[in-house]
């Protein structure tokens, strides 16, 4: 069964460093998403991406964050200058469509980011 | 963001019995709802969904009920199995936006 994959599974970085989290969405999916879950808190929406541009972003997704689809398979989340509060589990998700309602988003296993 | 709430942080049931997980929402713009299951160190796994035009959707042992007037949905698992032990999240979306809003999750423990 096709699945969303994410690398790395764990990332430890120093505050102020740049990190890039990578995702390979399901191959026939057109909409891509990043969510995060800070320990003990809810899963929160960060950004959605379609047709090589951001469709929607949350208040969390400030200028320190960017997303890119550098080739036909990868979808990346970059944090330019990490802060302690960026420590969280980051989930990538994809769906066939995004605005048709009832579109199931399939999630990857997540990348655990720890900022020291 | 309290638009989606799961008020029970945990639930324990005996194997073979019914598990009922509840979820409340406040935003009447939501028009579809999903349940995800999550094991530690894994991503959320899709279980079942329901559109706001329906009040029930069934898939094997899993049934989701939607009460729009009460802004309440529930997931029934019957019979419950030990392998169902996990964190269950409800999530809500609306067709004019792609983002999902998640509840806090309910940890289900099914005892053998």
């Amino acid at each position: 069964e096709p699945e969303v994959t994410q690398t790395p599974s764990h990332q430890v970085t120093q505050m102020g460093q740049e990190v890039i989290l990578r995702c390979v969405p399901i191959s026939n999916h057109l909409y891509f998403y990043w969510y995060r879950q800070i320990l003990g808190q809810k899963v929160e929406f960060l950004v959605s991406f379609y047709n090589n541009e951001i469709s929607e972003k949350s208040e969390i997704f400030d200028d320190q964050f960017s997303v890119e689809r550098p080739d036909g398979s990868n979808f990346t989340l970059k944090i330019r200058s990490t802060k302690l509060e960026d420590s969280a589990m980051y989930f990538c998700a994809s769906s066939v469509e995004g605005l048709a309602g009832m579109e199931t988003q399939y999630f990857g296993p997540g990348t655990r980011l720890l900022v020291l | 963001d309290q638009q989606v709430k799961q008020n029970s942080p945990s639930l324990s049931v005996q194997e073979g019995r019914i598990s009922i997980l509840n979820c409340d929402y406040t935003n009447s713009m939501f028009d579809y709802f999903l349940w995800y299951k999550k094991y530690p160190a894994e991503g959320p796994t899709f279980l079942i969904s329901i559109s706001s035009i329906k009040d029930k959707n069934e898939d094997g042992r899993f049934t989701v009920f939607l009460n729009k007037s009460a802004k309440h949905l529930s997931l029934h698992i019957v019979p419950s199995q030990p392998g169902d032990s996990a964190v269950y999240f409800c999530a809500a979306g609306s067709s004019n936006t792609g983002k999902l809003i998640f509840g806090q999750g309910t940890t289900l423990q099914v005892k053998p």
Side-chain angles (χ1 to χ4, degrees):
Chain A
E1 186 173 323
E3 56 183 23
V4 177
T5 59
Q6 291 184 242
T7 54
S9 58
H10 295 79
Q11 174 102 39
V12 181
T13 189
Q14 295 291 323
M15 190 170 58
Q17 295 296 303
E18 175 183 285
V19 295
I20 297 176
L21 309 183
R22 291 181 168 79
C23 169
V24 178
I26 295 173
S27 62
N28 65 331
H29 286 188
L30 301 177
Y31 287 80
F32 315 115
Y33 312 85
W34 284 101
Y35 291 80
R36 77 172 185 190
Q37 185 180 27
I38 294 171
L39 190 64
Q41 297 186 22
K42 291 185 178 185
V43 175
E44 301 173 288
F45 169 80
L46 292 178
V47 66
S48 58
F49 189 87
Y50 169 71
N51 200 25
N52 281 319
E53 59 183 34
I54 291 173
S55 307
E56 187 174 1
K57 59 183 181 180
S58 72
E59 293 175 355
I60 303 167
F61 194 88
D62 61 22
D63 292 343
Q64 292 300 312
F65 291 88
S66 63
V67 289
E68 193 178 31
R69 188 153 163 84
D71 53 43
S73 59
N74 288 287
F75 178 52
T76 62
L77 174 69
K78 182 193 291 186
I79 309 175
R80 290 191 184 80
S81 178
T82 51
K83 307 184 188 72
L84 296 177
E85 54 264 37
D86 293 328
S87 296
M89 194 77 161
Y90 287 81
F91 295 108
C92 173
S94 68
S95 63
V96 174
E97 296 184 33
L99 295 178
M102 284 293 292
E103 279 305 323
T104 300
Q105 295 179 23
Y106 294 89
F107 284 75
T111 293
R112 182 166 295 283
L113 176 65
L114 178 60
V115 182
L116 301 177
Chain B
D1 185 341
Q2 295 295 309
Q3 295 186 72
V4 179
K5 292 179 74 171
Q6 294 175 255
N7 291 315
S8 298
S10 63
L11 175 67
S12 181
V13 299
Q14 208 63 37
E15 180 179 6
R17 306 296 289 269
I18 186 171
S19 296
I20 300 176
L21 298 106
N22 295 301
C23 181
D24 296 295
Y25 63 96
T26 56
N27 190 340
S28 57
M29 295 298 292
F30 291 143
D31 53 16
Y32 68 102
F33 305 89
L34 308 94
W35 284 94
Y36 287 87
K37 173 181 178 180
K38 186 179 179 304
Y39 294 115
E42 293 185 13
T45 301
F46 170 72
L47 274 178
I48 192 169
S49 61
I50 188 166
S51 163
S52 60
I53 63 173
K54 294 186 172 182
D55 53 21
K56 177 183 174 181
N57 188 27
E58 190 172 354
D59 184 2
R61 295 186 298 114
F62 302 93
T63 303
V64 56
F65 295 92
L66 175 63
N67 182 334
K68 285 193 295 292
S69 60
K71 295 191 175 65
H72 176 84
L73 64 153
S74 60
L75 174 68
H76 292 209
I77 306 173
V78 55
S80 302
Q81 299 172 355
D84 296 330
S85 298
V87 180
Y88 288 78
F89 292 97
C90 70
S94 62
S95 49
N96 64 352
T97 171
K99 71 179 180 184
L100 295 177
I101 306 296
F102 281 80
Q104 306 95 313
T106 296
T107 301
L108 173 66
Q109 182 185 27
V110 180
K111 297 179 179 177

